[in-house]
Amino acid sequence: MTKTRKKWIYFSALAGVVALLPLLVKGGYYLLILNIIAINGLVVLGLNLLIGFAGQISLGHAAFFGMGAYFSAIFTAMYNTPPWPTLLGVMIFTAVVAFVLGIPTLRLAGHYLVMATLGFNIILYILMVQMEHWTGGPSGFAGIPPLHLGSLPIQGDLSCYWLLWTFFLLVFFVSLNLVDSRVGRALRAIHENELVANALGINTERYKVVIFAISAAYASLAGSLYAHYLSFISPKTFDIFYSVQIVTMVVVGGIGNLWGGLLGAAVLTALPEILHAMRDYALLLYGLILMGVLVFFPEGLLPGLVKLVGRGRLVNGNEN
Amino acid sequence: MAMKTNGALLKLEEVNKQFDGLLAIADVSLCLYSGEIVSLIGPNGAGKTTILNLISGVYPPTSGEIFLNGESITGLKPYQVAQKRVARTFQSVQIFQDMTVIENVLLGLHHRLRSGFVQGMVHLPAERKEEKRAIDQAGATLEKFGIGHLAYRKANSISLKEQRCLEIARSIVSAPCLLLLDEPASGLNIRETEEMADIIKGLRQQGLTILLVEHDMNLVMSIAHRIFVLHHGLKIAEGSPEEIQRNPEVIRAYLGGTHNI
């Protein structure tokens, strides 16, 4: 089976699951969780391209996520700009900001990007809290209008489920394509050995900066969708802890594995909700589960599980 | 320009390279002409790999100029030198272990292909066609080196000889005009080294110019047209294999008194 065929089969299966889930899931609460998974999934997707393919770590993706959310909110609610073009404009602007941030830091060898993005996230958080006139300050920004399809507002958990997952699937598919192309190959080469990649004629600096900008654009898109979906945002969502959480999702799911990233986003978004019933022990269990995953599946949940299944098959085969 | 370089494909002009206090390369000048196999020899630490790194742009020279086809390439980045069709291999095999054999060769074609981020994301027909052509070309190159059957194996699962062949296949798939080989026979046994000599001679017959850094004297003497000898960063001799074997200074400096080359 060719790689392309395999990709199509898995992707169609995912699209099928996404299409059927609302039939099985009753109640706004579960839909809300699924919707948040789609949003986190988008941010994870971009970060996974950066970490898993270009080998660079960003601790500032909450800031790009926040830029999408706040700019969409401010422009559409305060200045009545049309939501869709605003979303697109904000995405491009965020990518440009990331590009400018990336040029000096990604040129240096080593993990300067971590420090730069960490600082950027903190600065942006302070701005969100302090610039009360525009952002509403610590109490948040309410009354963000929904997105429209024609003249129809996309409101409510179910409509937004379709909206958010359509976007996720679209961006997911495009990313799967990118990974399986000349550019994806070059990015993996950079991840494995930058010096040799450069010696082969790959402009490694440019690739790293561009993929960083693209991953920021994904986060911005997720942020805009988040703001229009919930109609209320507050700075707390976009602090440094969200950045760390997103990195954790990438690591738990499987660095460099886009399908793993989706699994990581799903598991780590749903887990706190499931553990809610444990009350005081919830945090302890969350920590233990995280630790367990990293100890037993150091290369990530999905690659680890695939290996486990493969080994199981091998054992069964030997028995026969 | 032709005057300046005397029609040389590659010319180093009084190149110096200083690492902190250490003068690694001192006033080295050398010329390579099209279609030659030229070998660079010298004891360990003589500066052979440093010369390759200077040519391929890993670091710039402290002073001096490097010309390719009469055009200065001094101070260019490695990817820019590669785009000028200068390819290289590394002393310790540097293939991408986590990728398949054919993906490694496709990376060698990278700078000859055009598809960017957007084409890659949308998989336009033109992008798919280019990719398919590239895969065909990479596969054909692997066949030439006798490792076509390994195309879809992980690169870390093949033998050292096969890895060396893969590295050379990756470097020549883009049809470079100059190939820099850094000890292609190191770690190979006698039979494999002979096969490597045939491979290098074959490359030259296809019109490649080759600069070969090598420790194996049998290999060097059997395939090189001209030899440069480096010692402590200085060029102490140049000439045909016969001349080098008779040169008393080379024998003294490089072979430590042994006359048995």
Side-chain angles (χ1 to χ4, degrees), chain B residues 135-173:
Chain B
I135 289 170
D136 290 344
Q137 197 184 337
T141 305
L142 284 173
E143 289 293 344
K144 261 196 252 170
F145 283 86
I147 50 174
H149 58 290
L150 301 171
Y152 291 93
R153 287 265 296 274
K154 266 271 199 74
N156 60 10
S157 70
I158 64 177
S159 76
L160 178 68
K161 164 81 190 330
E162 289 160 348
Q163 292 191 1
R164 289 226 179 264
C165 284
L166 169 58
E167 201 185 14
I168 296 176
R170 183 182 67 187
S171 63
I172 61 115
V173 68

Side-chain angles (χ1 to χ4, degrees), chain A residues 7 174 177-178 180-183 185-186 188-189 192-193 196 198-203 207 210-211 214 218, chain B residues 78-79 82-83 94 96-99 103 106 110-111 113-117 120-121 123 127-128 131 170:
Chain A
K7 181 174 77 184
V174 156
N177 277 348
L178 182 69
D180 173 31
S181 75
R182 167 177 177 263
V183 172
R185 207 160 43 226
R188 274 182 292 149
E192 207 175 317
N193 192 332
V196 177
N198 205 316
L200 288 174
I202 297 167
N203 186 346
Y207 272 94
V210 172
I211 198 67
I214 288 177
Y218 283 14
Chain B
Y79 77 90
Q83 286 168 359
Q94 295 288 348
F96 298 101
Q97 305 277 344
D98 280 346
M99 298 192 200
E103 279 178 317
L106 286 168
H110 178 88
H111 63 93
L113 307 175
R114 288 283 73 91
S115 306
F117 280 88
M121 283 178 158
H123 274 194
E127 189 266 351
R128 289 289 90 186
E131 187 78 1
R170 183 182 67 187

Side-chain angles (χ1 to χ4, degrees), chain A residues 112-142:
Chain A
Y112 288 91
L113 189 69
V114 179
M115 300 310 293
T117 48
L118 188 72
F120 182 70
N121 205 151
I122 292 169
I123 293 168
L124 225 77
Y125 180 75
I126 293 171
L127 289 179
M128 286 171 197
V129 174
Q130 297 294 326
M131 296 178 79
E132 270 184 64
H133 173 68
W134 283 291
T135 64
S139 51
F141 191 118

Side-chain angles (χ1 to χ4, degrees), chain A residues 201-223:
Chain A
I202 297 167
N203 186 346
T204 50
E205 277 168 21
R206 183 178 157 270
Y207 272 94
K208 285 194 293 183
V209 174
V210 172
I211 198 67
F212 178 54
I214 288 177
S215 84
Y218 283 14
S220 169
L221 169 68

